[in-house]
Amino acid sequence: MRNIAETMTKECITISPMDSLADAAVLMREHDTGFLPVVEGNKLVGVVTDRDMVTRGLAKQLQGSASVKEVMSDDLTTVKPNASVDEAVSLMASRQIRRLPVVENGELKGIIALGDLAVQQVFVSEAGDALSGISEHEHRESTYH
């Protein structure tokens, strides 16, 4: 059985909690992502998504100079590098998340995304089921909130 360390993306674009929302937006645009791990040194302290920036930043009328810390999520779901891919997929489905930070002793080691699993054809049906569940959840959120 494959583990996360064999499948995860190891080279992560990260940002500091004290960097600005404008800095985060530029990194997201340059790297075509809507997700950035927030680190202090190598320690993962949160994540920020494009959705966080809109729902927590723009909705509060924060400016681009506001810090990432003001909008980041710090209640994180993570997985260890030796976890199985099946464990990660199950966790992603149950928590309704598309990306899962891989952490060991508080240090960010990589990111596993549903896309990584699908591209590598690892547990494709489970990844598809998780994605379907997440998409349904997001549709309900946008419809009812």
Side-chain angles (χ1 to χ4, degrees), residues 12-103:
C12 301
I13 304 304
T14 63
I15 195 158
S16 157
M18 299 317 294
D19 286 336
S20 72
L21 295 180
D23 293 335
V26 168
L27 279 174
M28 287 179 180
R29 183 188 67 221
E30 286 176 353
H31 298 280
D32 193 26
T33 186
F35 175 92
L36 293 171
V38 182
V39 297
E40 289 181 326
N42 288 333
K43 184 179 181 200
L44 181 69
V45 295
V47 297
V48 65
T49 66
D50 48 4
R51 188 172 193 275
D52 293 332
M53 292 168 64
V54 171
T55 60
R56 296 183 186 152
L58 288 177
K60 292 180 183 178
Q61 299 182 346
L62 295 177
Q63 301 298 313
S65 59
S67 72
V68 167
K69 186 175 184 168
E70 294 180 63
V71 301
M72 73 180 196
S73 298
D74 58 7
D75 181 21
L76 301 176
T77 300
T78 64
V79 67
K80 293 185 178 186
N82 63 351
S84 72
V85 170
D86 192 35
E87 289 174 73
V89 169
S90 177
L91 191 57
M92 293 165 86
S94 69
R95 300 288 169 90
Q96 300 292 301
I97 54 178
R98 295 175 185 264
R99 295 172 195 89
L100 189 58
V102 181
V103 176

